[in-house]
Amino acid sequence: EYGIEKPRGYNVSFHYNPHVEYHHFGSSHPMKPWRLTLTKQLVIAYGLEYAMDLYEPRPASKDELAIFHDREYLSFLEAITPQNMKHHDEGMKAYGFGGESNDCPVFEGLWNYVSLYSGASMHAAQNLLNNQSDIAINWSGGLHHAKKKEASGFCYINDIVLAIQHLLTQHQRVLYIDIDVHHGDGVEQAFESSDRVFTLSYHKHGFDRHYGYQFFPGTGDIHEMGPTDPTNPGKGHALNIPIDDGIDDDQYKWLFKTITDAVVEKYRPTAIVLQSGADSLGGDRLGRFNLNIKAHGFCVETVKNYGRPMLLIGGGGYTPRNVARTWCHETAVCVGASLHNDLPTHIPYIQAFQGEENGGGILYPELHNRSRHDNLNTAKALQTLVQRAMENLRYLEG
Ligand code: ZLS
Ligand code: CA
Ligand code: ZN
């Protein structure tokens, strides 16, 4: 009223339905929804809830999920239970459930789980469209491998595709960035024929010494840039950055900033979706990289500084205490707060953060010290990678 401007800051919203926490993939399964409980407890213990608008979104409806997914697939997903699955062998196979690897198990409350994380991503996108938030966060989402009618790699419904489709109702160009250690294949595939979505994924790619086969999902080579048909508008609108084991903080930060800056400058997105999978951290149970929490958070900070409406979502992350630390730190980055390294002592699940050989009781332990991965990325290889990425971007100039 008096011409005094609000201090330069961002409106941040946090979209989270606590019912997601109570779902279990099975005791040996690496995906642990209770990492979201830890995350929320840290966010609250640091008082970050007072710096954001909090929402408890309702589950997405079947009609909403059908905007991307196949209706028969959705009916199957809705109906399947651990009790009746033995009578649905063909459906199970056709839709990517169970199987030998059991990456996508059928568990109690599966439909509820997928509707909750998807509802949160769609609500977050809606908040950006309404201009109610500059940054909208959903740590329960980011399930980038799910296909139109297939579950894959712990992902059943692709909440990212649904959120981007919603953003496209008002945005001409949406940039999708994916720092999960796995290739964001489901999102890339969903928009492969569109020039209104550019997908950029950083990931481990190639033969995996630990598994003895290609690192999941096996796609995402530097030469994969969307359709090759020159009449397809999606041509050149995907960029993949394949990385080898053990990449360190400085290398990743340089790679991320150099390439992402160039993409933003050339593509000029009007909204950005960042999948911030925490399995790219050092010491992750499935990952192969050596990143520390602040280097991972540097990516969030970099994207925030582009100043476009931003949807920030979770994804992988298989060492729950470090997932919680990272997403709490990144929530703080969004609201512009810096956090004490000593964890607040009144956290309900404090025992999860104590008794580690290093890192007990602190927010920013040195994760690379604990890592088993040698750095196989030479300076020369990374320079070549950046050079190839820049060549790939020339397609954007038409
Ligand atoms: O990006 O590597 C695979 C596929 C297989 C098939 C053969 N079997 C023996 C191994 C697995 C090749 N799947 C990956 C999927 C990774 C999904 C990442 C999701 C995301 O982070 C986004 C949320 C994989 N890696 C590790 C496992 N699966 C895995 C490890 C341990 C177990 C327990 C439960 C289930 C079976 C035993 C499982 C999967
Ligand atoms: Ca990725
Ligand atoms: Zn992953």
Side-chain angles (χ1 to χ4, degrees):
E1 314 291 311
Y2 300 94
I4 299 168
E5 275 180 49
K6 242 181 84 173
R8 186 83 201 108
Y10 291 89
N11 281 327
V12 181
S13 58
F14 193 84
H15 304 258
Y16 184 64
N17 189 318
H19 292 103
V20 281
E21 296 166 19
Y22 307 112
H23 295 88
H24 297 277
F25 282 62
S27 55
S28 68
H29 200 286
M31 179 56 98
K32 310 283 186 201
W34 57 264
R35 68 206 174 119
L36 300 164
T37 315
L38 290 186
T39 305
K40 185 187 66 184
Q41 296 302 348
L42 277 188
V43 165
I44 291 171
Y46 275 106
L48 293 172
E49 85 231 66
Y50 301 113
M52 310 184 282
D53 296 324
L54 304 183
Y55 295 91
E56 195 174 308
R58 59 169 176 79
S61 67
K62 194 171 176 178
D63 285 339
E64 288 170 324
L65 302 181
I67 295 172
F68 172 56
H69 289 280
D70 175 85
R71 280 201 177 265
E72 279 175 30
Y73 171 68
L74 291 174
S75 298
F76 184 84
L77 193 57
E78 186 178 30
I80 197 78
T81 67
Q83 291 76 37
N84 69 21
M85 61 187 244
K86 46 188 168 299
H87 309 297
H88 290 91
D89 269 1
E90 341 72 66
M92 293 279 291
K93 261 216 188 76
Y95 295 133
F97 291 87
E100 171 195 5
S101 76
N102 213 19
D103 276 351
C104 299
V106 174
F107 56 85
E108 209 66 61
L110 177 57
W111 177 255
N112 191 237
Y113 169 74
V114 303
S115 326
L116 286 167
Y117 74 68
S118 304
S121 286
M122 295 174 88
H123 192 262
Q126 179 62 44
N127 251 45
L128 297 175
L129 291 178
N130 294 342
N131 290 315
Q132 300 212 51
S133 336
D134 305 310
I135 302 176
I137 304 175
N138 170 25
W139 293 127
S140 68
L143 293 132
H144 58 180
H145 300 305
K147 311 289 161 23
K148 190 184 175 70
K149 45 177 162 179
E150 192 189 348
S152 169
F154 319 162
C155 307
Y156 305 82
I157 293 288
N158 202 315
D159 61 296
I160 309 168
V161 171
L162 291 162
I164 293 175
Q165 281 177 321
H166 199 36
L167 292 173
L168 287 173
T169 61
Q170 285 180 37
H171 285 275
Q172 195 47 236
R173 288 180 305 281
V174 176
L175 170 60
Y176 172 67
I177 308 169
D178 184 318
I179 62 170
D180 189 289
V181 76
H182 298 96
H183 174 217
D185 59 345
V187 184
E188 179 183 312
Q189 197 187 90
F191 297 110
E192 65 178 2
S193 296
S194 175
D195 55 2
R196 295 183 56 205
V197 180
F198 189 102
T199 61
L200 168 59
S201 176
Y202 297 84
H203 44 263
K204 151 88 187 168
H205 179 76
F207 183 78
D208 191 68
R209 298 187 299 169
H210 303 266
Y211 283 160
Y213 43 82
Q214 288 291 117
F215 194 71
F216 188 85
T219 47
D221 186 82
I222 183 80
H223 303 292
E224 292 170 26
M225 330 168 32
T228 47
D229 172 3
T231 64
N232 191 319
K235 183 175 199 276
H237 288 75
L239 182 57
N240 286 301
I241 310 300
I243 302 169
D244 215 330
D245 290 14
I247 189 167
D248 67 28
D249 291 351
D250 288 342
Q251 290 177 325
Y252 196 92
K253 283 159 72 179
W254 175 74
L255 202 62
F256 183 85
K257 180 141 175 65
T258 310
I259 295 171
T260 312
D261 279 0
V263 171
V264 170
E265 192 195 314
K266 291 219 153 99
Y267 188 61
R268 293 175 297 108
T270 56
I272 304 182
V273 177
L274 175 60
Q275 195 268 23
S276 188
D279 48 7
S280 37
L281 294 172
D284 185 83
R285 183 175 159 195
L286 297 194
R288 302 286 176 257
F289 295 168
N290 277 344
L291 301 187
N292 282 295
I293 293 164
K294 285 183 178 169
H296 200 274
F298 170 86
C299 303
V300 174
E301 178 117 52
T302 301
V303 175
K304 172 191 170 181
N305 290 338
Y306 296 133
R308 323 283 156 111
M310 169 180 172
L311 173 57
L312 176 60
I313 47 188
Y318 305 101
T319 303
R321 58 182 184 275
N322 294 334
V323 177
R325 285 175 164 120
T326 302
W327 290 347
C328 175
H329 169 68
E330 292 174 354
T331 304
V333 165
C334 291
V335 305
S338 47
L339 305 179
H340 288 286
N341 194 19
D342 291 320
L343 291 175
T345 48
H346 53 280
I347 312 172
Y349 295 87
I350 186 83
Q351 66 284 1
F353 302 100
Q354 285 165 340
E356 296 167 67
E357 66 238 51
N358 69 57
I362 63 172
L363 184 62
Y364 303 111
E366 290 268 328
L367 300 182
H368 62 251
N369 286 349
R370 307 158 48 79
S371 173
R372 308 139 302 185
H373 311 299
D374 295 337
N375 191 349
L376 303 182
N377 300 278
T378 62
K380 181 128 183 14
L382 294 178
Q383 255 147 25
T384 309
L385 189 57
V386 166
Q387 198 183 322
R388 294 230 169 102
M390 298 300 167
E391 282 164 21
N392 287 358
L393 283 178
R394 288 198 205 129
Y395 281 89
L396 282 188
E397 280 143 32

